[in-house]
Amino acid sequence: MPHSRSIKGTPISTGLAHGPLHVVRGDAPEVPTWVVPASDVPAEIGRLAAALQSAGEELERQRRAVAASSGDKDAEIFAVHRMILQDPSALGEVEKAIAEERINAEAAVGRLIERFHRTLTALDGASVRGFAADVSDPWQRVLDTLLERDRRELDSSQEKVVLAAPELTPRVCAWLPRERVLAIVCESGGRFSHGAVLARSMGLPCVVGLPGLLARLEQGMHITVDGDRGQVQLKPSPEDLADFERRVGERQRRRRDVERFAPLPARAACGHRLETQVNIESLLDLPHFEPEHTDGVGLLRTEFLYMERSSFPSEEEQYRLYRRVVEHMRGRPVTIRTLDIGADKQLPYFQTPKERNPALGWRGLRISLQWPDLIQVQLRAALRASAHGPLRLLLPMVGSLEQIDQMRRIFDGVRASLTEQGYECAEDLPVGAMIEVPSALLSLHQIIAHVDFVSVGTNDLVQYLLAVDRDNAFVAGLYDPLHPAVLSALQRVAEVSRRAGKACSVCGDIASDPAFAVLLMGLGFDAVSTAPHFVPEIKYGLSRVSLAQAQELVRAVLAAERSQEVRQLLKDWQAELSTSAGR
């Protein structure tokens, strides 16, 4: 094996990181595979033995419980399953794969299960094919035990790691607390997928587009991740590490220069203000920024409160969470986006129908309106929290005025119910609409009269305007936030909002780019909302230009006919904004 190997992938989130890696399970059907060092083979076989014992003990407990309630005959299946786990030929096959191919126990057991299904389901007869499930089920228990034990062992450790996974998903990003994750590397993943957006918002260096990566990894192997260049280096040499640490030092020095702007107002050189708000996912984000350095929370993604749990959070749990965020912000407004699940943001305890095109299916506000009990609980919690500080509601996936009317009726009913029960609520709680569906964009002049503010979710707006599924690898290259059509859409939102006298902001991924923030200021937006760690960069960028210069950039960008022209214009501005703050 070469001492040092470098792999080129696709950069997703900037930053540099170095440390031990941990291979995690991606989506539910996938089993992680990694190389086991020769010295660790006995321990890996020991992991297998422990999982077999645990699964066997669980089967025996279930046999006794069923025998006591339904009789020995019904309990026989559990005894049969224990016998299957004691089959020496199957066990020998798994141990041989671990020892000779040096793969992890999970992968070896997964391969055995696949062979059972492939062999038995190919035979004639429904009863014979059905036997495949009986044979594989006890081994599936072993696999689940191995995967869960691996997770528990990692959770009990305080070691910081680089996460490696088959695909970049929100679940992978949230696998461990943010402070435990150094970086993320994946075999696949879209540049603008929800997983990518989350990685950037969390400030995690991330590289994807690394086919066959997991087969080349060893659990605990030290690697470097270059999220700037899209480079991953396995087992770096001392010389490689020295060069890498030099670049880390340069990056940290520049970061310290830019951090001087964090406590300052987000103001252009001419004095014009562009509010700089933050996007947060959970309470874990609160310690990572100073409320005084922001103009409030522009987007609280409440779906992650739901995704981190095994059941729906109660009204009381949500109320306590929203109240903590509101109080933490010390008088600065907090914008709560109502539950936005669906597509690739699924809840493990809420089964949504399988859809051929989930991006255009049952998600966001559509779920809330068809299942009002769910949104009523969230609204009750939010309204109760509004008594403790300024709070706003933001509705996702708005497609029509009728949907806003429906939500208003639900909202008014919840408020009336709380008042009757003696709860204190804010007298005036602003309600806004996310502009991310083309129908909302085209009817904005009507919608804006019925809301208090609007916020553009550029991540979804781009995919719907360009008819590009950002999670589809075959067309992900066509996803382009700098497409002239997208810029025209942003111009329209700013103009309609200004005429209506309503505040407008951008809370999508592009708001984290300082050059794009300058462009948004020139277009007439009132605020941008981004991950907390981008705030100093945006303030620094704004401080180096005037509103007139930003408007000049807007004229040049809107005159461009091709995305590449826009990209070059912003690249030139980015180069200017990225020069040393002390220059």
Side-chain angles (χ1 to χ4, degrees), residues 59-60 63 75-84:
L59 285 167
E60 176 60 18
R63 185 195 68 79
E76 284 179 358
I77 184 61
F78 297 103
V80 173
H81 278 191
R82 287 197 72 187
M83 292 175 59
I84 290 173

Side-chain angles (χ1 to χ4, degrees), residues 213-229:
L213 172 70
L214 299 189
R216 305 172 68 177
L217 301 179
E218 297 176 1
Q219 201 78 292
M221 172 193 288
H222 277 248
I223 71 172
T224 63
V225 180
D226 185 340
D228 300 341
R229 302 174 180 174

Side-chain angles (χ1 to χ4, degrees), residues 20-322:
L21 66 81
H22 186 89
V23 183
V24 301
R25 193 180 184 188
D27 291 331
E30 298 180 3
V31 178
T33 302
W34 61 82
V35 176
V36 177
S39 59
D40 290 350
V41 166
E44 196 67 15
I45 292 178
R47 287 183 65 231
L48 171 67
L52 278 164
Q53 180 178 347
S54 177
E57 291 171 352
E58 178 61 23
L59 285 167
E60 176 60 18
R61 282 194 294 271
Q62 291 178 335
R63 185 195 68 79
R64 290 174 181 172
V66 172
S69 61
S70 303
D72 290 337
K73 186 172 181 59
D74 287 337
E76 284 179 358
I77 184 61
F78 297 103
V80 173
H81 278 191
R82 287 197 72 187
M83 292 175 59
I84 290 173
L85 292 182
Q86 295 165 1
D87 176 16
S89 63
L91 178 59
E93 180 179 334
V94 175
E95 290 180 341
K96 182 178 179 181
I98 296 172
E100 295 184 2
E101 299 181 47
R102 289 176 47 202
I103 61 174
N104 55 304
E106 291 90 339
V109 172
R111 185 183 298 180
L112 177 70
I113 294 171
E114 287 179 7
R115 184 178 67 77
F116 285 152
H117 279 281
R118 187 172 58 251
T119 302
L120 295 174
T121 56
L123 300 177
D124 291 332
S127 60
V128 176
R129 289 194 298 271
F131 185 58
D134 285 334
V135 173
S136 62
D137 182 70
W139 281 100
Q140 184 64 50
R141 288 175 180 264
V142 176
L143 177 57
D144 292 341
T145 301
L146 284 165
L147 290 164
E148 183 58 31
R149 182 167 295 178
D150 177 61
R151 173 67 178 271
R152 287 200 305 267
E153 289 173 356
L154 183 61
D155 284 345
S156 65
S157 165
Q158 293 304 309
E159 184 180 34
K160 295 183 177 182
V161 295
V162 176
L163 295 180
E167 183 179 6
L168 180 60
T169 64
R171 182 174 179 271
V172 170
C173 295
W175 186 261
L176 285 175
R178 167 66 185 88
E179 60 271 15
R180 295 278 311 282
V181 183
L182 298 170
I184 299 175
V185 292
C186 297
E187 293 186 335
S188 63
R191 173 73 177 80
F192 296 97
S193 66
H194 282 111
V197 170
L198 187 55
R200 284 190 288 274
S201 73
M202 297 172 73
L204 294 171
C206 181
V207 179
V208 303
L210 304 162
L213 172 70
L214 299 189
R216 305 172 68 177
L217 301 179
E218 297 176 1
Q219 201 78 292
M221 172 193 288
H222 277 248
I223 71 172
T224 63
V225 180
D226 185 340
D228 300 341
R229 302 174 180 174
Q231 203 87 16
V232 174
Q233 196 162 43
L234 313 183
K235 291 188 174 181
S237 68
E239 295 78 14
D240 295 328
L241 278 179
D243 180 64
F244 190 82
E245 293 302 329
R246 177 188 58 78
R247 292 184 55 215
V248 170
E250 291 175 352
R251 189 182 186 90
Q252 290 174 341
R253 284 190 293 275
R254 188 189 183 283
R255 181 69 182 177
R256 284 194 295 270
D257 287 340
V258 173
E259 284 287 351
R260 295 186 292 113
F261 290 82
L264 303 178
R267 197 185 303 276
C270 62
H272 182 81
R273 286 271 284 134
L274 178 71
E275 289 193 1
T276 304
Q277 303 166 342
V278 293
N279 299 339
I280 63 174
E281 276 75 46
S282 72
L283 294 177
L284 297 176
D285 293 328
L286 298 183
H288 296 290
F289 69 94
E290 294 292 335
E292 293 81 4
H293 296 178
T294 77
D295 293 303
V297 174
L299 178 64
L300 173 55
R301 295 184 172 105
T302 60
E303 60 269 20
F304 289 99
L305 166 65
Y306 288 75
M307 292 171 67
E308 294 169 352
R309 299 176 49 84
S310 58
S311 61
F312 286 109
S314 67
E315 174 188 328
E316 197 62 30
E317 288 173 304
Q318 293 188 66
Y319 160 68
R320 289 198 300 267
L321 182 144
Y322 302 151

